[in-house]
Amino acid sequence: FFFLGAMTRAVDYPLDPRVQHVRAEAASAMGCASVEWTHGLAVTFLQLACGILFITAVFVFLKAIRNPSHRRQFYWPIIFSNFLAGCSYWAISQDQGWVISHGCRQFFYARYFDWFFSLPLLLGVVALVAGAEIADGCAAMGSAALMTVCFAIGGISYDTVTRWLWCLFGVGWLALILYMLATHFKDAAASPSRNMEGFALYSRLSTLLMGCLCVYPLVWLFAEGFHSFSLTFEVVCYAVLDLLVRVLFAVYVILAGTTIDSCSTGYEPVTA
């Protein structure tokens, strides 16, 4: 990570004069002699991720309109999650949705706006697959929203102690999410009334989410926390994680086929 981060710092690309002007005004207003900006490679990666996310959203949408309502309840949150992420990446690639944070570095609040809505949506799908109690699902979804708020405020905090306190709060909400996935959700998915295919789908989705959710704070720690990662490397890391947690999540649900029927509310199997 540190080696790749150092390598991306050395890459330099020419910028559009209009973008240069806007950035110079923002840097001057914040009293920064120099600011670390996204450019070239990062913008290309942002636009690539944006295209993949939009294509995934359209693909799942086409699947949703051709499937019965008890399956669409799994598809719509995935559609909105991918579309929100695509909009976020497009905004960032067009030099929007940012402020200058401590250390004279670009901070992309558009990314957190996406996570605030997208992560609870994906957790809602996992709760449906597991057959979890409504209260447990709401607890996990609310924790995801609060975790995002904590890391967002921590990212723009100028005081060091305050920044790490917000980070600690965010980790606390993350721990609650992981606890819910590993206990309450898992117990519901493994109950005798659920079938093994449904439990296997839950295991894939929960493992994917838990793995990515544990890596997000690590990237935040070395990017927005210590500033050890270059901005370009930060963009690449977050993009890879977002693509994994959105696109692979969608693939798992789509490939589940009739397995999600047994996880659906309002579905009654046809018996001879």
Side-chain angles (χ1 to χ4, degrees):
F1 275 96
F2 286 108
F3 173 75
L4 292 175
M7 291 296 291
T8 54
R9 285 182 186 273
V11 180
D12 194 16
Y13 295 87
L15 295 175
D16 189 301
R18 293 168 297 181
V19 175
Q20 286 274 30
H21 177 70
V22 172
R23 290 179 172 183
E25 287 188 342
S28 176
M30 295 299 296
C32 295
S34 63
V35 179
E36 188 175 2
W37 307 102
T38 55
H39 47 69
L41 179 62
V43 173
T44 300
F45 213 88
L46 286 165
Q47 292 175 345
L48 177 63
C50 171
I52 295 173
L53 290 163
F54 278 142
I55 290 172
T56 304
V58 171
F59 177 77
V60 181
F61 173 77
L62 294 176
K63 292 286 292 185
I65 61 177
R66 296 174 183 174
N67 277 272
S69 59
H70 67 270
R71 291 186 185 176
R72 290 200 296 270
Q73 63 184 321
F74 296 92
Y75 294 156
W76 282 113
I78 296 173
I79 294 169
F80 289 128
S81 175
N82 278 273
F83 188 77
L84 275 169
C87 289
S88 170
Y89 274 87
W90 178 250
I92 296 173
S93 72
Q94 299 304 303
D95 212 54
Q96 298 172 325
W98 59 268
V99 295
I100 298 178
S101 66
H102 63 94
C104 293
R105 180 187 177 100
Q106 256 184 320
F107 175 84
F108 300 106
Y109 61 81
R111 176 185 294 146
Y112 293 87
F113 179 83
D114 160 39
W115 291 344
F116 181 83
F117 293 102
S118 294
L119 292 179
L121 286 173
L122 296 178
L123 282 167
V125 174
V126 176
L128 284 174
V129 171
E133 296 289 338
I134 294 177
D136 292 337
C138 290
M141 294 168 70
S143 298
L146 288 171
M147 176 190 70
T148 303
V149 170
C150 290
F151 281 116
I153 298 177
I156 58 175
S157 297
Y158 282 82
D159 181 69
T160 303
V161 175
T162 303
R163 180 165 66 253
W164 294 117
L165 280 175
W166 279 113
C167 175
L168 185 62
F169 295 153
V171 171
W173 290 114
L174 171 61
L176 180 57
I177 297 170
L178 298 177
Y179 171 78
M180 298 295 292
L181 289 171
T183 57
H184 294 66
F185 282 30
K186 184 178 180 180
D187 291 343
S191 64
S193 60
R194 317 292 289 186
N195 59 36
M196 292 304 296
E197 291 80 6
F199 180 75
L201 175 60
Y202 167 76
S203 297
R204 287 192 292 271
L205 295 178
S206 61
T207 301
L208 173 64
L209 267 183
M210 292 172 72
C212 290
L213 286 175
C214 288
V215 177
Y216 274 116
L218 293 177
V219 177
W220 187 96
L221 183 69
F222 292 107
E224 282 120 328
F226 294 127
H227 296 170
S228 300
F229 289 168
S230 71
L231 203 58
T232 299
F233 190 58
E234 172 193 325
V235 166
V236 172
C237 288
Y238 279 133
V240 170
L241 286 172
D242 283 338
L243 289 174
L244 280 175
V245 82
R246 314 305 172 91
V247 178
L248 191 56
F249 191 98
V251 170
Y252 282 156
V253 173
I254 294 297
L255 292 181
T258 57
T259 299
I260 62 174
D261 291 343
S262 62
C263 307
S264 304
T265 57
Y267 171 71
E268 297 181 1
V270 177
T271 57

